[in-house]
Amino acid sequence: MKNLLRLEELAQFLVCVILLASMDASWWIYLLLLIGPDVGMVGYSVNSKVGALTYNLLHHKAVALLVLFICFVIARYSPGTPKEIVLAGIILYGHASMDRILGYGLKFGDNFHHTHLGWIGKGR
């Protein structure tokens, strides 16, 4: 089952890469896809609870979908939705899928290694 879920996440990640390619995204956008949302780890410099909140904010697929939904609402009432907002939604969604392929999930507030997919690392 675990491999099936990883394949599902891989498919979602590839859709995001294809969307970026269809939008003629610059090379640095793909770099943001790989590491950009990880800026949310900065919250761990405060404590585990703040770190989990900031990390999860940038790694939750519902947040990415909310950003894309806002794009569609803006486009409906005001033509010319900024491309950057659409790119941000795709990057957030694609990065979350990539992390889940690698076994990283949304964080609990007690420990960085405690995720909704289980514990990260050895000995757990």
Side-chain angles (χ1 to χ4, degrees):
M1 182 58 100
K2 191 179 222 181
N3 288 333
L4 185 59
L5 292 174
R6 284 187 173 167
L7 280 173
E8 182 180 35
E9 295 295 343
L10 177 62
Q12 293 173 54
F13 176 75
L14 291 175
V15 166
C16 291
V17 170
I18 291 167
L19 285 171
L20 291 176
S22 71
M23 295 176 71
D24 293 324
S26 300
W27 67 269
W28 59 270
I29 296 293
Y30 294 93
L31 183 60
L32 277 179
L33 174 67
L34 296 177
I35 62 173
D38 287 334
V39 73
M41 286 191 281
V42 170
Y44 281 97
S45 63
V46 176
N47 63 42
S48 290
K49 287 187 180 196
V50 172
L53 176 72
T54 57
Y55 182 91
N56 290 343
L57 183 65
L58 296 177
H59 287 80
H60 201 294
K61 289 183 178 182
V63 172
L65 292 173
L66 179 63
V67 170
L68 290 170
F69 176 74
I70 290 168
C71 290
F72 289 117
V73 170
I74 291 171
R76 173 109 167 100
Y77 297 104
S78 174
T81 302
K83 180 180 177 181
E84 293 78 16
I85 300 174
V86 176
L87 290 172
I90 294 170
I91 287 168
L92 290 173
Y93 196 92
H95 183 87
S97 290
M98 180 189 71
D99 273 5
R100 285 169 178 81
I101 293 167
L102 299 173
Y104 299 105
L106 299 174
K107 309 298 183 193
F108 288 102
D110 61 338
N111 188 308
F112 176 80
H113 298 284
H114 188 194
T115 76
H116 84 284
L117 298 176
W119 287 89
I120 300 171
K122 296 180 184 176
R124 297 283 179 169

